[in-house]
Amino acid sequence: MNWKSCVFLLALAGCEMLGTKDSGEGEIRIAFADGAGELTRTVSELPDTSDFILEVTDSKGKTVYKGQYGDCPEVLSVASGSYVIRAVSSEFEKPEFSAPQYGDEQCVVVPDGGVVNVKLLCSQMNSGVKLRIA
């Protein structure tokens, strides 16, 4: 092995040490904050958070998880990067003036090998005024 081959091998090893290989993984753990229902005083009872629609998307818009919060695993193993976590009590295809929507949306950054604990706050996300003109 000549000295040029040694330099080439050292350069390859150095590139891997600088982080040019594939990014690592991390974990996201999602829960609703204690007392989240106390933030909203418009109704006496909030919907069950297990029935909330949870969606986790990465920075490219790819869906990592979409479904009921109660069906989501406790730990989501994901590639390191940024993610948007959104939970809502219901989704609307058209305006629903008499149906409040509760939930939260947060953006988090998952470091390589790290764990991010997300605490969702349950507050009313929609509001509107319905006018009837006679």
Side-chain angles (χ1 to χ4, degrees):
M1 181 181 271
N2 62 28
W3 69 273
K4 290 181 182 178
S5 298
C6 288
V7 170
F8 179 71
L9 289 175
L10 287 173
L12 282 177
C15 286
E16 282 190 14
M17 291 171 62
L18 291 174
T20 57
K21 58 184 179 176
D22 293 335
S23 64
E25 288 198 353
E27 295 179 350
I28 300 175
R29 297 176 184 190
I30 303 168
F32 280 89
D34 292 334
E38 297 174 10
L39 297 174
T40 305
R41 303 280 183 200
T42 58
V43 294
S44 60
E45 190 173 320
L46 291 171
D48 183 3
T49 55
S50 293
D51 295 333
F52 275 45
I53 301 161
L54 177 66
E55 185 172 11
V56 179
T57 55
D58 66 12
S59 60
K60 296 175 184 168
K62 180 182 172 193
T63 301
V64 175
Y65 177 83
K66 184 169 184 176
Q68 288 187 324
Y69 170 75
D71 294 337
C72 182
E74 282 187 38
V75 176
L76 291 173
S77 294
V78 296
S80 57
S82 61
Y83 293 86
V84 174
I85 291 93
R86 181 175 190 258
V88 292
S89 58
S90 59
E91 293 184 309
F92 302 124
E93 293 180 18
K94 61 180 184 165
E96 297 284 341
F97 295 104
S98 60
Q101 181 186 51
Y102 301 97
D104 191 14
E105 183 173 315
Q106 296 182 23
C107 182
V108 297
V109 176
V110 179
D112 186 12
V115 176
V116 176
N117 294 308
V118 179
K119 293 289 185 184
L120 297 170
L121 300 174
C122 188
S123 60
Q124 187 170 348
M125 297 178 70
N126 68 340
S127 63
V129 176
K130 185 175 183 178
L131 298 175
R132 291 188 180 195
I133 301 173

